[in-house]
Amino acid sequence: MKIYSPIQQLKHPSRINIWVKRDDLIDPYISGNKWRKLKYILEEAKNLKKDHLVTFGGAYSNHLVATAAACAGNGLKSTAFVRGEAVENEMLLLCRLFGMRLIFTDRRDYKEKDKLFRRHFAEDSCAFFVDEGGAGIAAVKGCAELIAELPPDIDHLFCAAGTGTTAAGLLKGILESGSKTILHVVPVLKGGDFIADEIARYTGSSDQLILHTDYHFGGYGKTQPGLISFIKRFVAEEGMLIDPVYTAKLFFAIDDLVKKQYFKTTDKIAAVHTGGLLGIWGMKEKFRGDG
Ligand SMILES: *Cc1c(COP(=O)(O)O)cnc(C)c1O
């Protein structure tokens, strides 16, 4: 299937050497890396004659919306175990619209995903287990394909990381292509050093990999006033939406490294816009007012 994910140059004078791979434009609901992660999961499910994807996520999970939309578009059923007590929000509304069944699950039970799956779906031979965030080899394979869509002369490729699966795929693609591109990963959670191991688990190597672990702004889903004002400025300057959970931390990191003269002036820098723009609805109150 042909996808729409152009590579565009940023506009602001301080960002002229920076290009963005617009995976956010692939689909409004199966956005960015979630589309790439699901591609081979859907294929595998179909090959195994499974017609029902069962997966896991928090109440503001991009992965849940993406899975619900992708399943609906491929004639599959979907169910999600949603972490925590029952709530309603914009993301879960979309999940339901795409036909996903939601099972709210307390945090202790949620940790034992295999057990949950077996307890509810042992009888359903057409149910297919998809890990939280779609993590796994199929997801890595899908993300690795992005590299072949980039110009070959990129010196530095940046992405945001939650689990590191997407980054693992990108590094795999880089190493297999033999290009000199260095992958820079910005963990959006605190203590993101573990992501290097997670990546190496899939690639067998941490060559051409650099982690920038100081741009988490307090942790996963956390923001600070500096990040919010950065988002407002960036979106207005570039005409490109970014989200507070993932891509804002990524672009903040790049701006900061440019300011610190981390790059050579001739370096070609690119960032993967991994989508996730619905995440902004989880933080509406942070954007009120003109400040
Ligand atoms: C899920 C998500 C990520 C994180 O991907 P991982 O493979 O878990 O590291 C990054 N960006 C966006 C927008 C996401 O929705």
Side-chain angles (χ1 to χ4, degrees):
M1 202 198 333
K2 188 105 183 74
I3 55 169
Y4 181 68
S5 172
I7 180 151
Q8 292 173 346
Q9 197 166 11
L10 288 178
K11 297 183 177 65
H12 191 268
S14 68
R15 302 189 188 102
I16 41 162
N17 285 332
I18 302 168
W19 298 73
V20 182
K21 174 71 171 155
R22 296 293 307 270
D23 267 13
D24 58 314
L25 299 179
I26 295 177
D27 186 284
Y29 306 110
I30 317 169
S31 87
N33 63 336
K34 301 305 186 283
W35 189 94
R36 295 188 187 273
K37 288 172 113 176
L38 283 165
K39 179 178 174 188
Y40 289 106
I41 292 173
L42 292 167
E43 192 180 287
E44 200 181 335
K46 283 186 181 171
N47 289 342
L48 295 169
K49 305 266 186 285
K50 308 283 188 183
D51 68 0
H52 181 190
L53 263 53
V54 177
T55 194
F56 306 82
Y60 273 99
S61 163
N62 294 319
H63 166 67
L64 292 192
V65 179
T67 303
C71 283
N74 284 275
L76 305 172
K77 285 187 289 191
S78 62
T79 297
F81 290 97
V82 185
R83 187 179 57 239
E85 70 271 23
V87 290
E88 292 297 333
N89 65 40
E90 297 84 351
M91 311 282 274
L92 297 177
L93 181 150
L94 286 169
C95 288
R96 284 209 172 90
L97 265 179
F98 284 117
M100 182 176 254
R101 181 182 159 213
L102 305 177
I103 306 175
F104 293 96
T105 309
D106 82 53
R107 283 159 203 277
R108 219 184 28 228
D109 290 346
Y110 183 87
K111 287 202 182 107
E112 302 193 76
K113 300 191 176 68
D114 288 308
K115 214 160 137 189
L116 273 176
F117 181 77
R118 269 184 276 119
R119 198 198 303 155
H120 286 78
F121 297 102
E123 308 292 300
D124 182 352
S125 64
C126 288
F128 188 64
F129 178 98
V130 178
D131 210 345
E132 182 166 8
I137 292 171
V140 171
K141 182 180 170 192
C143 294
E145 290 182 346
L146 183 148
I147 299 303
E149 300 168 25
L150 294 174
D153 60 343
I154 288 169
D155 299 291
H156 306 280
L157 179 66
F158 279 77
C159 75
T163 62
T165 308
T166 302
L170 296 177
L171 187 61
K172 191 161 182 285
I174 288 170
L175 296 174
E176 285 173 1
S177 75
S179 86
K180 63 175 172 39
T181 307
I182 292 171
L183 181 70
H184 295 261
V185 176
V186 180
V188 301
L189 30 78
K190 215 189 259 177
D193 289 303
F194 76 92
I195 284 175
D197 300 330
E198 182 63 18
I199 293 171
R201 214 156 62 80
Y202 290 108
T203 60
S205 163
S206 304
D207 291 350
Q208 293 173 247
L209 172 70
I210 297 176
L211 248 56
H212 300 274
T213 54
D214 293 333
Y215 297 102
H216 56 73
F217 289 88
Y220 182 80
K222 300 271 181 11
T223 65
Q224 289 165 4
L227 186 69
I228 300 297
S229 52
F230 172 76
I231 292 173
K232 292 177 175 176
R233 201 169 59 239
F234 183 95
V235 173
E237 284 169 353
E238 301 294 347
M240 179 189 300
L241 218 50
I242 53 177
D243 81 290
V245 180
Y246 292 104
T247 50
K249 294 179 183 180
L250 165 71
F251 286 106
F252 186 101
I254 296 172
D255 263 19
D256 192 55
L257 292 168
V258 168
K259 240 180 256 151
K260 291 175 173 159
Q261 301 184 315
Y262 180 89
F263 308 103
K264 292 204 283 278
T265 49
T266 52
D267 282 351
K268 190 158 177 183
I269 302 155
V272 180
H273 194 318
T274 41
L277 298 169
L278 300 168
I280 214 156
W281 304 125
M283 299 198 189
K284 290 191 286 282
E285 70 291 346
K286 300 235 156 75
F287 292 91
R288 293 218 175 100
D290 288 329

